[in-house]
Structure formats: C-alpha cells, structure tokens
Amino acid sequence: MARFRNAWILGYASLILLALSGCTSSSPETPGALTRIVESRVIRVGMTGEQPPLTMISRNGDFLGLDVALMRVLAQGMGVEARFVQIDFENLLDALDADDVDVVMSGMTITPRRAERATFIGPYFTSGKTLLTRSEELAAVQIPEDLDKPELRFAALRGSTSEEFARRALSNAQLVLTAGLDQAVQKVVSGEVDGLVADRETCFFAALRYPDQGLITSSATFTLEPMGIAVPLDEPQLANLLRTYFTALAESGALERAQAVWFKDPSWVKSLR
C-alpha cells in the first residue's frame, strides 16, 4: 500500500510538471522559477560545498554529500537536472533573493528570521550545536555558560545559526567569524582559536578528516537545529511541487537510507580535496 501511495504521489507531481510545461509560453510576464525549470530542465541549487557530510567537494571538483544526494533524487523524480552553485553560507539567501539560484539546500537551519525570507521544505535532518576543540577540558563542558569566558576564543561560520548561538550564549568570549568552515577548522588546528562552534555532524567529521590533529568533539549538544530546503517566498508552485516529491522521498524510506550512507560510512572522507 505504501509503495502504491508513493508511486501515486510521484505520478501526480509529474502530471503537474507536464501541465506546467504545456502552458509556459502563453504568459507574457517574466517567467517564475518553476517555469524556467520546466523550460530549461535544470534546477539551480545553492550550497557551500564545505559542510560535511551534508555538502562537500571531492578532489575531482564534484559535489557530494547528503544534501547533494537528496537533491539529485528530487531532481531526477521531477525529470530535471540538479545544477549545484557554490556560494558562501552568508550569501545563500541573498543569492536566492537575487534569482541566482532556484533553491538553497546547504544544511540551513529553519529559523523564524529565515522563514521571513524563504519558504522551507522539510525538515530533512535535525542537528544541534556543539564544539570542536583540542582541549579535553572544553570538550567535557555540558552547558554553554561554562564556555562563556573572556579569555576563550571561538570560531563560527559567518551568517550561520552558529554565529547567532555564539553571540547569544557566549557573549563574553571572543568570536572569530569565517566565510567557510574549512578555514574555521584550520584555526582550531593552528591554535588560533580554542574551539569551533558548529553543527554536531560538521564537528564530528572534521575530527574524522584530520585524525592526527588532536581534534575532539564535545559530548554535549547545545541546541536543536531542523534543516530544510529554502525556496523563494513568491514561488508557491515550486514549493508545493518540491514538498510533494519530498513527502514521497521520506515515505519511501530513501531519506533514511541516504542518512545511513553519509553518517555511518566514513569511506567518502578519502575522496575530499
């Protein structure tokens, strides 16, 4: 029964897409995102490529990760190609506003402030803030208040909920912002900062990627972070179509299987540049 229901959902969404493709040329107005996707058979996806295991770039320059895999499955179901556009995290929603990309899928937490700028599909994954450090003492901390000291320096990704959390919960500590997570991890490795505030999975896989640098992840998770796909507010048709396909993806079990691949099998670490 579940398989029949999923097939019906996907078939229904495909009919919507076909119907739209038959009426795109009749509108004299500037075409919207869904019309452009139908005509070009391409959906442009904004992501950083620097948030393992969600979005990364291999030595060959290819995008890979959970976000990449899920977006490719969604695009394939829609009969279009997913084209990934690398953008610094702080500029992702600006790129969406500027019509430089059709959607954003890059480990972006759904927050009230972001929901004022975009419609979110999901969540497809839930994470939380933690600390990447070389200090066993800091890694053992269970509450943010014990990290809120003026002599401590913490890095965070600019424009992220990690920055918001650090400014709110670690207001007495020194905050160092970076455009990319790789740059922030290197600051921890070099001792320039005492730790990196980031999503739990980002910290865990940074320690996995650099096994000889003494990196450890704190045992505590300080926040709850549901992540979603951002769609322009003025594109309800695109949002509804993606929501339909996303529902079918989740009900089919493909979402759970993809998470198992990227979170339980670290073999992909060797392919990173």
Side-chain angles (χ1 to χ4, degrees):
M1 181 63 70
R3 182 179 299 177
F4 176 79
R5 183 172 62 253
N6 294 334
W8 183 88
I9 292 174
L10 290 171
Y12 177 71
S14 297
L15 287 175
I16 295 175
L17 195 60
L18 288 171
L20 286 166
S21 67
C23 60
T24 53
S25 60
S26 60
S27 175
E29 300 176 359
T30 302
L34 184 54
T35 300
R36 184 173 55 251
I37 291 167
V38 169
E39 293 178 343
S40 66
R41 295 291 169 178
V42 170
I43 182 168
R44 302 167 300 166
V45 185
M47 58 175 50
T48 67
E50 293 186 353
Q51 294 168 269
L54 302 175
T55 165
M56 307 160 281
I57 297 179
S58 71
R59 291 191 181 93
N60 298 326
D62 299 321
F63 283 88
L64 69 159
L66 176 65
D67 289 6
V68 177
L70 291 179
M71 199 65 232
R72 281 181 173 146
V73 171
L74 289 172
Q76 184 179 24
M78 293 167 60
V80 301
E81 172 195 352
R83 183 172 297 167
F84 302 105
V85 183
Q86 188 174 18
I87 302 170
D88 287 343
F89 192 90
E90 63 179 320
N91 298 323
L92 282 169
L93 289 182
D94 289 338
L96 191 67
D97 291 339
D99 198 29
D100 294 332
V101 295
D102 300 309
V103 300
V104 166
M105 190 173 186
S106 191
M108 182 167 284
T109 302
I110 304 169
T111 67
R113 182 175 299 178
R114 288 174 180 161
E116 292 180 334
R117 299 185 60 182
T119 300
F120 281 89
I121 312 302
Y124 62 90
F125 184 69
T126 300
S127 184
K129 298 304 174 202
T130 190
L131 185 70
L132 179 72
T133 181
R134 298 176 71 186
S135 165
E136 293 185 3
E137 181 181 356
L138 294 181
V141 168
Q142 296 298 304
I143 56 175
E145 288 79 5
D146 289 342
L147 297 171
D148 192 20
K149 301 176 181 179
E151 67 270 20
L152 294 177
R153 290 169 57 87
F154 297 113
L157 182 65
R158 184 180 291 111
S160 68
T161 51
S162 298
E163 178 188 351
E164 293 178 6
F165 169 77
R167 291 192 182 282
R168 181 178 68 253
L170 308 175
S171 58
N172 291 314
Q174 303 172 61
L175 182 60
V176 178
L177 300 178
T178 64
L181 282 169
D182 284 345
Q183 180 185 358
V185 171
Q186 291 306 317
K187 289 184 180 296
V188 180
V189 170
S190 66
E192 188 175 339
V193 297
D194 298 290
L196 164 65
V197 178
D199 295 327
R200 179 180 60 235
E201 290 69 32
T202 296
C203 293
F204 175 78
F205 284 104
L208 188 67
R209 185 177 182 183
Y210 302 102
D212 301 325
Q213 299 299 327
L215 297 174
I216 49 179
T217 302
S218 64
S219 57
T221 301
F222 304 124
T223 63
L224 189 67
E225 307 267 332
M227 298 175 181
I229 306 169
V231 181
L233 286 173
D234 59 354
E235 295 289 348
Q237 287 180 310
L238 176 58
N240 288 336
L241 187 64
L242 280 171
R243 189 174 291 111
T244 299
Y245 275 95
F246 180 83
T247 299
L249 185 71
E251 291 186 354
S252 70
L255 179 58
E256 185 176 351
R257 290 193 297 271
Q259 291 175 350
V261 169
W262 293 102
F263 290 102
K264 296 182 180 179
D265 180 6
S267 59
W268 50 263
V269 173
K270 296 180 291 186
S271 66
L272 298 183
R273 65 183 182 185

